[in-house]
Amino acid sequence: MAESRHSVFRQFAASDWGGFLKGVEKEGLRVDSNGFIAHTPHPEALGSALTHPTITTDYSEALLELITPVCSSTSEMLESLRNTHKFVQKHLGDEVFWPASMPCELNGDASIPIAEYGTSNSGRMKYVYRQGLAVRYGRMMQSIAGTHYNLSLPDSFWEKWQAVLGDKQSLQDFKSDQYFWLVRNFRRRSWMLMYLFGTSPALDASFVEGVRHDLSRLDERTWFGEHATSLRMGDLGYHNNAQSSLNICFNKLSTYTQTLDRAINTNWPAYEALGTQRDGEFIQINTNVLQIENEYYSAVRPKRTAQSGEKPIHALESRGVEYVEVRCLDLDPFSPVGVSEAQVDFLDLFLLDCLLSDAPHIDDDECERLDDNFKDTVAKGRNPELEIWQAGKRTVIGDAATALLDQLEPLADLLDSWTGSDAYRQALSAQQAVLSGDRLVPSARVLESMQASGLGHRDWTMKMAIRHQNTLREEGMDASVEAALVAASKESLAEQKRIEAADTLPFSEFLEQYLRS
């Protein structure tokens, strides 16, 4: 029962709790001074995108991804992220780091360069995977950026939690079960994150050139959704028909890996028609529904750090869930680093309550309703009359969100009493102010700011990008932090060369071995 788990947790002491472990992966495009996607190579000063521990690229050569280490506090994580941003900004020359999820000006697929990772087999594998995304879905979708938030709890907590619940499984299996418990409730509530944190209600006209859509004009270069919170997570963003029928099951580890494995090993006729090679060059890893696990688009993923050459699904099967990755967060364009302290603290509170609340398995009917909740919120979440499914009935979205936030109050007070601060109450109060109308939801704030400035998506975001760049460059960096980042960049370049020199297998054999593994 929900109350019993919350009651048990309230009997813990601060020493039993141990706190959250957290990290973030933040994406963003490099953009030239005209507001167009950059065509320059990954800056050498930022090291090797293949091997650098904190600075890499996602789909495009222009799409940077900044990664924090695992941190034990929000302040530590955001300091790490800010330092990496400062280092990047110092080495961008006259380019800027795009702070919005929806991209800058584009000129079709050909204008979006695929990321390069060198000549090693592992580097070529990353390139071929991205080439596969291009031939399957086009490159436009891959120019979108977001923030992925990773959260886990220490073993000291899990050991105590397992003991008080009287569970007799291995600790590894118990942790996996509990993380999936959290994920099931996340699936039930993920719509609320899009309502509270969606920040992509508008986009540049170049993104939908020649595409049918139902958006409205903001100006001659900008389209927007009348009530949209996140175009990034809607039909124009991370969406494709091949995956719509996957029915990946998030009820427990075994059903998740089985259904995901089926998708990785099921042939898809349209992809088979493309073939794996064109003019002697690989254009996709295979012709299955998913080339690899990472191709599956979802708002949340249970994760386990994979070893070198190990498939993510095998890491999960052999060693269980290590953390959960929240993948549905838009970039906060008002923040120089794309995310704020209050947002992170709220996410911690939100995710912990997902663990502590009742979480029955999700059947097919509920799964469909949850998907509808999410889709409706990203497309029309700012419509005050929108109704979603909550607790078995249709409820006005504002009322449903208010009820969920009210439910978090005792937990926020408990965590603050343990930490000797008011961070969680403040984070919760910030979202309650949004629901009360004292503050705008971020998607409305973005539109209001654009309209007040008289600028469309490209020029408004460019203005914000320059503002953030100036802020971070003026702050400067601690000399020791900068020296460590310089050393990491140099070492990553050397490591890439070592990997390339050590390769002996032809790529075709390397790929065959990987697919057989």
Side-chain angles (χ1 to χ4, degrees), residues 88-138:
V88 167
Q89 294 283 14
K90 184 173 182 177
H91 296 287
L92 285 186
D94 60 0
E95 295 175 353
V96 297
F97 199 15
W98 198 247
S101 281
M102 298 309 290
C104 56
E105 184 176 357
L106 306 169
N107 187 19
D109 275 10
S111 69
I112 304 168
I114 298 176
E116 301 273 358
Y117 298 95
T119 60
S120 68
N121 283 328
S122 57
R124 290 187 65 189
M125 175 84 162
K126 290 170 75 73
Y127 178 84
V128 171
Y129 165 63
R130 285 157 175 77
Q131 182 63 53
L133 298 178
V135 298
R136 291 172 175 221
Y137 317 119

Side-chain angles (χ1 to χ4, degrees), residues 128-130 132-137 141-142 238 240 242-243 246 260 263-264 271 284-298 301 312 327:
V128 171
Y129 165 63
R130 285 157 175 77
L133 298 178
V135 298
R136 291 172 175 221
Y137 317 119
M141 184 172 76
Q142 315 300 329
Y238 284 119
N240 67 84
Q243 293 190 25
L246 284 180
L260 195 56
I264 297 168
Y271 301 157
Q284 55 181 341
I285 291 173
N286 55 45
T287 60
N288 297 333
V289 178
L290 301 177
Q291 298 173 92
I292 58 176
E293 298 92 325
N294 291 350
E295 189 172 339
Y296 174 55
Y297 302 122
S298 61
R301 280 182 188 164
R327 300 171 49 81

Side-chain angles (χ1 to χ4, degrees), residues 472-483:
L472 293 172
R473 285 179 172 176
E474 289 168 6
E475 282 182 11
M477 294 185 65
D478 181 273
S480 62
V481 172
E482 183 172 9

Side-chain angles (χ1 to χ4, degrees), residues 3-4 217 237 262 435 495:
E3 182 59 30
S4 65
R217 282 277 188 190
R262 183 178 63 211
L435 296 185
E495 177 64 15

Side-chain angles (χ1 to χ4, degrees), residues 293-449:
E293 298 92 325
N294 291 350
E295 189 172 339
Y296 174 55
Y297 302 122
S298 61
V300 65
R301 280 182 188 164
K303 298 287 289 285
R304 160 65 65 173
T305 303
Q307 299 168 353
S308 178
E310 183 182 35
K311 291 182 178 179
I313 195 171
H314 293 163
L316 274 174
E317 289 173 330
S318 63
R319 298 188 301 284
V321 182
E322 181 182 10
Y323 63 96
V324 291
E325 179 186 42
V326 176
R327 300 171 49 81
C328 58
L329 301 173
D330 287 349
L331 301 183
D332 178 355
F334 298 102
S335 167
V337 298
V339 64
S340 68
E341 183 175 6
Q343 182 184 18
V344 172
D345 288 338
F346 178 82
L347 288 170
D348 292 346
L349 187 64
F350 176 88
L351 292 169
L352 180 59
D353 193 70
C354 286
L355 174 68
L356 299 180
S357 299
D358 194 23
H361 283 193
I362 299 170
D363 61 24
D364 290 344
D365 288 341
E366 185 183 9
C367 187
E368 186 174 341
R369 289 196 296 270
L370 298 180
D371 289 342
D372 287 343
N373 282 351
F374 192 88
K375 293 174 184 176
D376 287 346
T377 303
V378 301
K380 48 192 176 184
R382 282 184 291 108
N383 181 349
E385 298 179 0
L386 174 66
E387 293 183 345
I388 63 167
W389 283 98
Q390 187 77 353
K393 62 181 181 179
R394 297 196 67 83
T395 305
V396 173
I397 188 168
D399 293 342
T402 297
L404 281 175
L405 291 190
D406 289 348
Q407 178 180 318
L408 298 178
E409 289 183 355
L411 186 57
D413 291 338
L414 178 64
L415 294 183
D416 281 341
S417 72
W418 286 348
T419 59
S421 74
D422 63 353
Y424 293 105
R425 196 35 127 137
Q426 290 284 351
L428 179 57
S429 295
Q431 302 314 315
Q432 289 174 322
V434 168
L435 296 185
S436 70
D438 289 344
R439 302 183 188 180
L440 293 173
V441 292
S443 52
R445 185 182 170 203
V446 167
L447 290 176
E448 182 184 70
S449 183

